[in-house]
Amino acid sequence: MNTIKKTVITRFAPSPTGNLHIGGARTALFNWLFAKNKGGKFLLRIEDTDTLRSKKEYYDQIINTLKWLEIEWNDQPYIQSKNIESHINIINKLLENNHAYKCYCTEEELDKEKKEYLIKKIPYSYSKKCRNLKEVNLQKPFVVRFKSKEKGTTILKDLVQGDIEIKNNTIEDFVILRNDKKPTYNLSAAVDDYEMKISHVIRGDDHKINAFKQIQIFEAMNWVIPLYAHIPLIHSKDGKKLSKRDDVSTVEDYKKIGILPEALRNYLLRLGWSHENKEIFTLEESIKLFNIENIGKSPSKLDFERIKSLNETYLKSLDEKKLTEDLINYANNYKTEIKDKYIETIYKNLPFLKNKAKTLEDIYNNSIYIFSYNLENKEINKINANQIENIKIIFKKCSDNRDFDYLFLKNILDEIINNKKINFKDIGQPLRIVLTGSQFGPGIYDIFKSLGNTESLKRIEKFLDKIDRNVKN
RNA sequence: GGUCCCUUCGUCUAUCGGUUAGGACACGUGGUUUUCAUCCAUGAAAGAGGGGUUCGAUUCCCCUAGGGACCGCCA
């Protein structure tokens, strides 16, 4: 028995044709966690051989998003297009070994074939017309097709799905070199996986059929076949395939509403994988506990509430210095920049600013009155004459004692509430509008404290001035 | 249509033949709180259907139904 342990090498192989997908992020996470767990390597390969759709901006986006998620790969990213020479080389070998052949069929001929099959109601696969051509060096454009097995069955020992058996004749003679002399995905992926010494291919369920094609290439070249684990796809809330229109399909969609990377990672980890009753995993625990055996077999739906709830948990447990940094970065990226002079105030008041928040966006909105105060008439109009009178009383008393504290303020409010037989709400609500520009937000005392006496009084004074002017007009 | 895969509370999931089928999110109720939120307590909520195998099936097998993926000279 061979007891030499093979080094685990996994890879994440996105194509730069769009922003990093939430499913892709999970695939990357699983590959990374598995490699870490086994003390192996995790590689990043950019599959950019579709020159029409691949874009540099997407490449950057994917790289940056993985970094944001703190998923780190070993070595430099492998750029698939840089390895084309090697792919062609293998195609030539396959041709020499009689495992592949040139196919001179034109698109028109193929279309005709397809139509004929359609009329006869037979499922279409290439007719293999060129498989046994006598002359193989015609001066005509050609593609290279792999000679798929025609008899027998193949069993894929999938690490997640178990044994999957298919008849070999259901795999057609697939193209491995296009007529523009560029290798196709299945060929490139197989060659790269071999050259990168990938031990475990962990990827989405949608690649399952490709495994059968890639395995045949491995066999034809007499290479050691990697282990495969095909993880079920992530579905949208209504059970359909996630589409770009769902606006929860890319990592960016979560980032821009202020989901923390830790929370998204935790969510993704638990989506399709579990460890007993555990819900919250630190990074160390994720690495220590992750395994392929506990990956579920069925597809899972996204639950936005769960992500937000998880985010809330992280928001509240995160070190507040770090949280403040995250908030500043978030605001700079997606909202208006928060000036340095407000950062200290926000940091100090984080305990209540983050209280009702589930996302960074919530914290941002809660603290907006600190760095971006604006009192609109529409809000002012919500305040009635009696309430204005009360605010005047408060203003007067506080102005006479500019060093007022919580107790002093509370006594004033209590007194008014008692005297006028009103509810706290009747005074709290309008006061909040005056101080923050919105009827929603933190508690009144918290607002006073966070703004400081001077700023609070200044805002009230400005309001009263405005009211006076409005009355005069 | 062909090939393949999947099926436990609304959602994510636990259960490796014997459980009052457990947890989490969301939801309901109660308490704490000036409000909201937090927090605590508590409640409702599931084995798709039908056949087998077995002393016993959510668990193993088959069928049906439902859902999904793939079926490109895209990756």
Side-chain angles (χ1 to χ4, degrees), chain A residues 15-27:
Chain A
S15 61
T17 54
N19 284 356
L20 183 62
H21 197 265
I22 195 80
R26 189 182 60 162
T27 303

Side-chain angles (χ1 to χ4, degrees), chain A residues 183-201:
Chain A
T184 62
Y185 162 75
N186 277 304
L187 187 283
S188 298
V191 174
D192 285 351
D193 281 343
Y194 166 73
E195 290 189 356
M196 289 161 78
K197 298 184 168 61
I198 303 301
S199 65
H200 294 71
V201 175

Side-chain angles (χ1 to χ4, degrees), chain A residues 233-244:
Chain A
L233 266 21
I234 299 175
H235 288 163
S236 66
K237 211 178 168 98
D238 52 355
K240 299 270 160 55
K241 189 182 178 181
L242 224 43
S243 92
K244 296 235 162 70

Side-chain angles (χ1 to χ4, degrees), chain A residues 212-228:
Chain A
F212 289 94
K213 299 182 180 173
Q214 290 162 203
I215 285 171
Q216 291 201 56
I217 296 173
F218 271 82
E219 285 174 341
M221 291 306 297
N222 221 347
W223 294 334
V224 177
I225 302 166
L227 266 17
Y228 291 92

Side-chain angles (χ1 to χ4, degrees), chain A residues 197-408:
Chain A
K197 298 184 168 61
I198 303 301
S199 65
H200 294 71
V201 175
I202 305 170
R203 60 184 7 170
D205 217 348
D206 48 342
H207 282 290
K208 218 156 57 187
I209 292 296
N210 292 328
F212 289 94
K213 299 182 180 173
Q214 290 162 203
I215 285 171
Q216 291 201 56
I217 296 173
F218 271 82
E219 285 174 341
M221 291 306 297
N222 221 347
W223 294 334
V224 177
I225 302 166
L227 266 17
Y228 291 92
H230 290 94
I231 59 182
L233 266 21
I234 299 175
H235 288 163
S236 66
K237 211 178 168 98
D238 52 355
K240 299 270 160 55
K241 189 182 178 181
L242 224 43
S243 92
K244 296 235 162 70
R245 281 175 303 259
D246 284 322
D247 73 283
V248 286
S249 66
T250 67
V251 174
E252 185 67 18
D253 291 328
Y254 296 89
K255 207 178 156 194
K256 74 178 174 210
I257 63 158
I259 299 292
L260 299 168
E262 297 88 333
L264 191 58
R265 241 171 21 216
N266 198 142
Y267 176 76
L268 256 16
L269 175 65
R270 275 289 287 101
L271 195 64
W273 179 85
S274 60
H275 178 81
E276 296 164 359
N277 277 343
K278 203 167 163 55
E279 298 290 344
I280 305 294
F281 295 82
T282 64
L283 198 50
E284 292 70 31
E285 288 170 330
S286 308
I287 292 169
K288 199 175 154 207
L289 265 15
F290 186 78
N291 58 5
I292 291 180
E293 298 85 73
N294 284 5
I295 296 176
K297 286 179 159 198
S298 53
S300 34
K301 292 176 194 168
L302 281 176
D303 183 355
F304 201 61
E305 292 307 320
R306 185 94 181 88
I307 299 177
K308 289 221 276 192
S309 162
L310 223 32
N311 200 56
E312 185 177 9
T313 305
Y314 278 92
L315 226 48
K316 280 171 187 162
S317 64
L318 208 63
D319 171 72
E320 290 185 346
K321 269 250 159 31
K322 169 85 165 61
L323 185 58
T324 308
E325 278 172 34
D326 285 346
L327 180 70
I328 304 298
N329 286 334
Y330 171 75
N332 289 352
N333 283 331
Y334 299 101
K335 303 284 178 182
T336 53
E337 199 171 324
I338 299 175
K339 292 202 176 79
D340 285 354
K341 63 175 174 177
Y342 298 116
I343 293 176
E344 188 64 20
T345 307
I346 292 173
Y347 170 67
K348 274 191 191 150
N349 293 287
L350 223 38
F352 77 82
L353 290 175
K354 72 177 180 184
N355 241 349
K356 289 186 208 172
K358 284 181 188 270
T359 63
L360 288 176
E361 186 173 40
D362 292 340
I363 301 182
Y364 176 89
N365 287 336
N366 285 345
S367 33
I368 203 163
Y369 71 95
I370 293 173
F371 53 83
S372 172
Y373 173 66
N374 183 26
L375 185 56
E376 290 175 9
N377 281 329
K378 169 176 111 212
E379 295 299 323
I380 294 177
N381 292 339
K382 289 176 183 168
I383 306 172
N384 66 36
N386 288 333
Q387 293 169 333
I388 294 172
E389 280 315 303
N390 295 336
I391 291 173
K392 278 182 180 166
I393 296 170
I394 297 164
F395 180 70
K396 174 80 176 57
K397 295 203 172 177
C398 286
S399 299
D400 291 345
N401 176 18
R402 300 192 76 89
D403 292 329
F404 66 88
D405 59 5
Y406 165 73
L407 264 180
F408 183 83

